[in-house]
Amino acid sequence: MATYDPRTQKLLTFHDSVPRFLDGRDTPRAYLERCLDVIETREPEVQAFVVMNIDGARAAADEATRRYAEGRPLSNIDGMPIGIKDLFETKDMPTQMGSPVWAGWESGRDAAHVHGLRKAGAVVLGKLVTTELGFSFPGKTRNPFDPGRTPGGSSSGSAAAIGAGMVPAAIGSQVAGSVIRPAGYCGNVAIKPTYGALNRGGGHSSLSQSHIGIHAGSIEDAWATCWQIANLAGGDVGYPGLYGALEPMAPTKPTRLVRLETVLWPSVDDESKAAFETVIEHLKRQGVTIISRAEDADVETYEALTADALELTLQICLFELRWPLGAYRERGPGMLSESMLERLAEADKQTLDDYRAMLERRDQVRKAYAALKAKADGFIALSSPGPAPKGLHSTGSPAMNAATSMTGTPVWSLPLLAADGMPLGVQLGGFPHEDAKVTGHARWLMDSFLTQG
């Protein structure tokens, strides 16, 4: 098996094909057929898809081809094949949420963001595997770089489809680490935007930390997908949506970054630690100031407060999920996994006062993170405590991601590193509603590190 190298690995992109669509050298239909060829080759091993609508995708690609021929594309993602995480409704395919509870269920409508994507001309190709109800019990998907390893979760199929070069973009979602972690494991570019920036309507995603995220082969395609969703479907109800222009911000060097280690740093293997240090040293050589917990009291306060961020996130989610999980349990044996039943038993013991106390703790974390804004442009960290673990019984730990889901801050996972011959992602984050700014920083880091680092 070939060893992964982020400098030579080529991900599938879409934005650079648009000029060829406009002048007739290529077409969205031909682009789709190339995607289908890759899927035919890789899907038996990777198993990223739950269901596909190939006829519908071909019809949509033909419509996009006609629009380009007439010089009137609907958007900068018109004709782009995209996969949808199977937590979100699609009018032409079932939405089964990785659970027997929802086997064969069809709503007959699109989720809000899927509706927006279709309005922009995107070609909705299929539904991608999620873990059980978006939690930790694994689905069938395997890592595209080693089928004996997990792709991560819960956006398992979304990350694997990008890593395998099946599609240029895919929808994921994150409550703890379900976008950033699998992106790191599968060598994706991915963004978890500011909380509420993309409309979650029409999916199993009502939790108070749930974000829609985008997996892609490039920052440009991920940003374009975010922008079109926000501008055609809006953000969550009561939220202002995604800020920023149609074009992603130009590559911009950050001035100061907080280095976050997180509670899992002591368990990170030596190779992954050494790889991360190459990014830190590159930033320092480029004149970026790095601030760590050892030298700044506010960073230390934040790191200490987030030591239990994952467990706190899980407990908040379980209180919020007592309904519907309790209703699913009442339907009889086999509806929920044993791990989900065990968690639900924990949730049954929670009280409203417990939930209020947990929300207060989350507010403390948010305030501690907000205090860092006066010191830095954002943060940098590993996307995971190492490369994808071997075995398919677990999706790996999201403990390095949970705190930034709690704070609702925009985060990119960038495929900058390798360890044990596998992808190792780097998180680059900012502050709420500064998605465009951190996107400029991400573009700069990708360009500078992979060409100079």
Side-chain angles (χ1 to χ4, degrees):
M1 185 172 295
T3 298
Y4 174 85
D5 183 344
R7 288 178 172 80
T8 58
Q9 182 67 32
K10 300 299 182 185
L11 293 169
L12 182 63
T13 57
F14 182 81
H15 67 282
D16 44 1
S17 293
V18 171
R20 294 192 293 275
F21 298 157
L22 288 166
D23 66 17
R25 288 175 292 158
D26 195 4
T27 67
R29 174 61 185 268
Y31 188 103
L32 172 65
E33 293 301 326
R34 294 194 294 272
C35 290
L36 292 172
D37 287 344
V38 175
I39 292 169
E40 183 177 9
T41 300
R42 298 298 315 273
E43 176 63 8
E45 179 179 77
V46 176
Q47 300 182 57
F49 283 90
V50 181
V51 63
M52 299 176 69
N53 181 2
I54 294 175
D55 289 344
R58 283 174 168 154
D62 286 342
E63 292 173 6
T65 295
R66 285 192 291 272
R67 289 191 292 268
Y68 278 104
E70 296 168 0
R72 53 179 188 87
L74 295 175
S75 76
N76 59 346
I77 63 168
D78 195 356
M80 182 178 75
I82 191 165
I84 307 298
K85 185 177 182 179
D86 197 28
L87 290 182
F88 299 102
E89 296 171 34
T90 45
K91 64 184 179 182
D92 52 353
M93 288 172 277
T95 302
Q96 302 176 92
M97 306 187 197
S99 169
V101 173
W102 294 95
W105 182 72
E106 297 189 46
S107 69
R109 68 173 185 176
D110 283 332
H113 73 271
V114 178
H115 179 70
L117 288 168
R118 291 196 207 264
K119 287 179 68 176
V123 175
V124 178
L125 178 54
K127 307 297 284 291
L128 294 160
V129 172
T130 178
T131 57
E132 179 191 23
L133 300 170
F135 270 72
S136 59
F137 190 75
K140 64 180 181 177
T141 308
R142 302 175 179 208
N143 192 291
F145 296 97
D146 182 348
R149 298 182 190 239
T150 180
S154 61
S155 303
S156 308
S158 302
I162 298 299
M166 295 177 177
V167 287
I171 300 298
S173 63
Q174 175 163 314
V175 174
S178 294
V179 170
I180 298 302
R181 179 173 90 267
Y185 287 167
C186 294
N188 298 179
V189 167
I191 181 174
K192 177 193 76 67
T194 295
Y195 180 79
L198 304 182
N199 193 323
R200 290 177 293 155
H204 189 87
S205 58
S206 60
L207 299 170
S208 65
Q209 285 181 207
S210 181
H211 306 62
I212 288 179
I214 312 298
H215 294 262
S218 68
I219 291 174
E220 292 82 1
D221 290 341
W223 178 261
T225 304
C226 281
W227 195 92
Q228 294 296 341
I229 291 171
N231 281 271
L232 292 170
D236 283 342
V237 174
Y239 287 81
L242 182 79
Y243 287 97
L246 172 63
E247 296 298 323
M249 186 172 285
T252 307
K253 184 176 72 174
T255 301
R256 296 164 67 87
L257 290 173
V258 171
R259 171 188 174 143
L260 293 179
E261 294 183 345
T262 80
V263 67
L264 287 185
W265 183 255
S267 67
V268 175
D269 65 274
D270 290 342
E271 186 181 4
S272 296
K273 284 181 175 178
F276 183 61
E277 294 301 336
T278 66
V279 179
I280 297 299
E281 290 307 311
H282 170 76
L283 289 166
K284 290 178 178 178
R285 287 196 303 272
Q286 298 299 314
V288 179
T289 299
I290 302 297
I291 309 167
S292 68
R293 66 188 306 174
E295 58 208 25
D296 189 282
D298 288 335
V299 176
E300 172 59 32
T301 295
Y302 176 76
E303 291 266 38
L305 278 173
T306 57
D308 66 343
L310 177 57
E311 185 59 27
L312 180 59
T313 291
L314 292 174
Q315 292 300 324
I316 288 172
C317 290
L318 286 172
F319 185 88
E320 294 170 351
L321 279 171
R322 291 196 298 180
W323 179 91
L325 291 184
Y328 301 160
R329 181 175 57 188
E330 291 171 2
R331 293 179 59 177
M335 292 294 103
L336 298 175
S337 67
E338 287 300 318
S339 61
M340 188 72 83
L341 288 170
E342 290 171 5
R343 283 291 188 176
L344 182 54
E346 292 179 44
D348 288 337
K349 301 173 185 176
Q350 293 177 331
T351 67
L352 182 58
D353 284 341
D354 292 332
Y355 184 61
R356 289 169 176 159
M358 290 187 287
L359 295 183
E360 288 175 5
R361 280 277 293 113
R362 186 169 70 182
D363 285 342
Q364 290 175 0
V365 171
R366 290 174 174 174
K367 289 175 183 176
Y369 186 72
L372 302 180
K373 188 173 182 179
K375 300 173 181 283
D377 295 307
F379 77 88
I380 190 161
L382 284 173
S383 296
S384 62
K390 295 179 180 180
L392 302 174
H393 60 283
S394 166
T395 60
S397 174
M400 283 185 149
N401 321 119
T404 55
S405 293
M406 295 177 71
T407 57
T409 192
V411 182
W412 284 92
S413 183
L414 305 176
L416 299 182
L417 302 173
D420 195 22
M422 294 289 291
L424 180 66
V426 171
Q427 294 183 83
L428 186 67
F431 293 91
H433 302 301
E434 293 187 350
D435 303 67
K437 178 180 176 181
V438 75
T439 298
H441 294 161
R443 296 184 75 191
W444 174 83
L445 182 55
M446 281 279 286
D447 292 345
S448 67
F449 184 78
L450 292 179
T451 57
Q452 304 171 30

